Amino acid sequence: MANRQNAATAEHAPDHAQLAERFRPVFQRIAEGALERERNRTLPFEPIEWLRQAGFGAVRVPRAEGGSGASLPQLFRLLIELSAADSNLTQALRAHFGFVEDRLVSTGDEQRQRWLKRFVDGELVGGAWTETGNVGLGQVITQVSPRADGSWRLNGRKFYSTGSIYADWLDIYAQRSDTGEDVIAVTRARQPGIQHSDDWDGFGQRTTGSGTSVFEDAEVEAGNVIPFGTRFKYQTAFYQVLLLSILAGIGRAAANDAARLVRERTRVFSHGNAPRVADDVQVQQVVGQLGAQAYAAEAIVLRAAEALQAAYDSHFLGDAEAEHQANIDAELESAQAQLVVSELVLRASSDLFNALGASAAREALQLDRHWRNARTISSHNPLIYKARIVGDWLINGNEPPYVWQIGNGTRG
């Protein structure tokens, strides 16, 4: 019954204007401190708390369950706006929204209701999936072991633990020590045996909390070890489109910054086209192009979000073939979107300097953050492989991979 109600809720999403109006004051407040956080590498604990208190983490939870009942396109429109304010925050919440999505399509009313209530109460989830070092392709070193009392203990080490520093719960990719089955172990983030480190040293997305997590006999409550094979089928596409919403937000922020700085600029070049930079037709052309690139990026993301919504809806139809096709469509749309959106935003975040002078390179402005952040986001899933996947589908009809792994290959 819960699944049918959930599907029905998705068909009657709230008015987006009212939904966005609820969160825009928080986004504006976040944007006001973004430059200072970037300059000083200040972790956004306070902005995360503002979003928590506003109920942002429950935006996808059905209204009947106390959430906002947003559709997937509405979620991604909101995430684009949040990313324009501070792209680090959206990425810090990526694992949370992925886990929310998984709980929305999960079976088992009692567990589902328990998690939805936690989301409504403001509890957030971080992620810890990737292992580095001497790890073979597909190998999972992190282990979860059963105890006689029905609980489990988790041991291992993860990197790219995005959002974990800010979270109440952790979504951890692990392996059962007794059966070797790949699972998701969901554990409380604040407990003995768990250590979080802010040691992410990338040149972009510096305040996402994407560092190392270490687990030493950390407790996992009974019922919180979930077979990986039961995860929502469109998960890879979902996580990718969320990254693309971050890129689209960065594109919007780059265009807005360029327009504002041109509007405020008083210095002109002797060989320019007008006594005011704001009236220089070539500068206007640059800013107009930036705006068009940001517009196109956002439109593509929302098109991909529609495919995700179709995949979500198909889960409740009881038609396995239709669901499978919807998942194929979502994966292919996300792959094609990644190829184009990444190029648009990387170009925009570099071309914005064509509208400004050398002073635009000053540290105080932090305009380079747009390119640094976009380049970091675009490197998550290699573009070259996405192009091959799309090409293989178009030429040979071969389905895209829904789950992929990374690890050490063999040396030739």
Side-chain angles (χ1 to χ4, degrees):
M1 183 65 173
N3 280 352
R4 289 196 295 273
Q5 289 174 340
N6 200 30
T9 302
E11 296 171 2
H12 299 87
D15 177 75
H16 184 75
Q18 294 180 348
L19 188 63
E21 194 64 29
R22 173 182 168 188
F23 296 109
R24 279 176 181 153
V26 182
F27 296 163
Q28 178 59 39
R29 193 178 179 190
I30 288 168
E32 289 169 358
L35 281 183
E36 182 179 353
R37 289 191 297 273
E38 183 77 18
R39 278 195 294 263
N40 300 322
R41 203 179 189 277
T42 302
L43 295 178
F45 286 101
E46 191 173 25
I48 290 286
E49 187 60 28
W50 300 337
L51 291 168
R52 186 199 303 268
Q53 292 176 1
F56 193 64
V59 72
R60 275 282 287 155
V61 174
R63 284 177 286 183
E65 309 294 343
S68 298
S71 68
L72 280 166
Q74 288 177 330
L75 169 66
F76 286 108
R77 287 178 70 179
L78 291 172
L79 292 177
I80 290 170
E81 290 198 38
L82 174 59
S83 300
D86 187 339
S87 64
N88 291 277
L89 290 177
T90 310
Q91 190 172 359
L93 294 173
R94 182 177 178 232
H96 173 80
F97 285 111
F99 190 75
V100 170
E101 199 69 19
D102 186 59
R103 296 298 85 197
L104 287 174
V105 302
S106 65
T107 57
D109 285 351
E110 185 178 342
Q111 277 277 44
R112 180 179 178 277
Q113 294 304 315
R114 183 180 299 118
W115 279 109
L116 296 187
K117 183 180 185 304
R118 286 168 176 163
F119 304 146
V120 170
D121 289 344
E123 296 184 29
L124 299 176
V125 181
W129 282 32
T130 304
E131 296 173 352
T132 59
N134 188 25
V135 181
L137 185 62
Q139 185 179 11
V140 184
I141 296 178
T142 301
Q143 301 278 305
V144 60
S145 306
R147 295 295 176 95
D149 63 359
S151 68
W152 301 73
R153 291 295 184 272
L154 182 72
N155 288 277
R157 183 185 186 91
K158 298 286 189 179
F159 196 54
Y160 304 126
S161 304
T162 304
S164 294
I165 289 176
Y166 315 112
D168 304 287
W169 297 89
L170 302 179
D171 174 346
I172 304 159
Y173 185 49
Q175 189 176 81
R176 286 182 55 157
S177 64
D178 55 344
T179 66
E181 180 186 11
D182 292 344
V183 296
I184 293 297
V186 188
T187 185
R188 294 184 184 274
R190 305 287 171 257
Q191 61 161 299
I194 297 182
Q195 178 183 340
H196 305 286
S197 298
D198 180 32
D199 56 353
W200 164 242
D201 61 354
F203 59 65
Q205 297 299 96
R206 293 171 172 172
T207 62
T208 56
S210 299
T212 301
S213 294
V214 178
F215 310 103
E216 296 179 346
D217 279 336
E219 181 180 5
V220 181
E221 298 168 12
N224 282 351
V225 177
I226 305 167
F228 186 76
T230 65
R231 291 277 295 188
F232 65 111
K233 303 303 182 186
Y234 52 95
Q235 63 176 322
T236 301
F238 178 92
Y239 287 123
Q240 183 58 60
V241 176
L242 197 146
L243 290 176
L244 296 181
S245 74
I246 301 174
L247 283 172
I250 292 171
R252 181 189 291 191
N256 289 342
D257 278 353
R260 174 179 56 81
L261 291 170
V262 165
R263 192 181 309 120
E264 296 171 354
R265 186 173 171 82
T266 58
R267 291 169 64 85
V268 297
F269 290 92
S270 61
H271 54 304
N273 301 294
R276 292 177 65 246
V277 178
D279 297 325
D280 189 308
V281 292
Q282 286 187 286
V283 173
Q284 290 173 352
Q285 179 181 6
V286 172
V287 176
Q289 187 69 31
L290 297 178
Q293 289 165 333
Y295 170 83
E298 183 168 341
I300 293 169
V301 171
L302 296 180
R303 163 66 184 261
E306 293 285 355
L308 287 175
Q309 183 68 49
Y312 168 79
D313 291 338
S314 73
H315 177 76
F316 305 99
L317 298 178
D319 185 335
E321 185 176 346
E323 182 177 7
H324 182 65
Q325 185 58 55
N327 290 330
I328 292 175
D329 293 343
E331 186 60 39
L332 289 170
E333 292 235 13
S334 72
Q336 292 174 96
Q338 182 186 354
L339 291 168
V340 181
V341 170
S342 297
E343 181 179 345
L344 285 170
V345 178
L346 285 171
R347 187 191 316 156
S349 59
S350 177
D351 287 353
L352 73 89
F353 292 94
N354 292 336
L356 304 165
S359 60
R362 293 170 56 204
E363 276 284 325
L365 295 177
Q366 290 288 308
L367 290 177
D368 62 311
R369 78 187 188 280
H370 297 311
W371 183 89
R372 289 188 289 101
N373 291 336
R375 181 65 269 176
T376 302
I377 292 292
S378 297
S379 299
H380 270 64
N381 303 325
L383 291 169
I384 56 173
Y385 298 144
K386 293 295 183 178
R388 180 197 62 76
I389 288 167
V390 173
D392 194 21
W393 167 259
L394 292 173
I395 297 167
N396 302 311
N398 290 327
E399 292 186 14
Y402 300 102
V403 177
W404 52 268
Q405 298 170 312
I406 188 169
N408 295 330
T410 57
R411 294 184 178 180

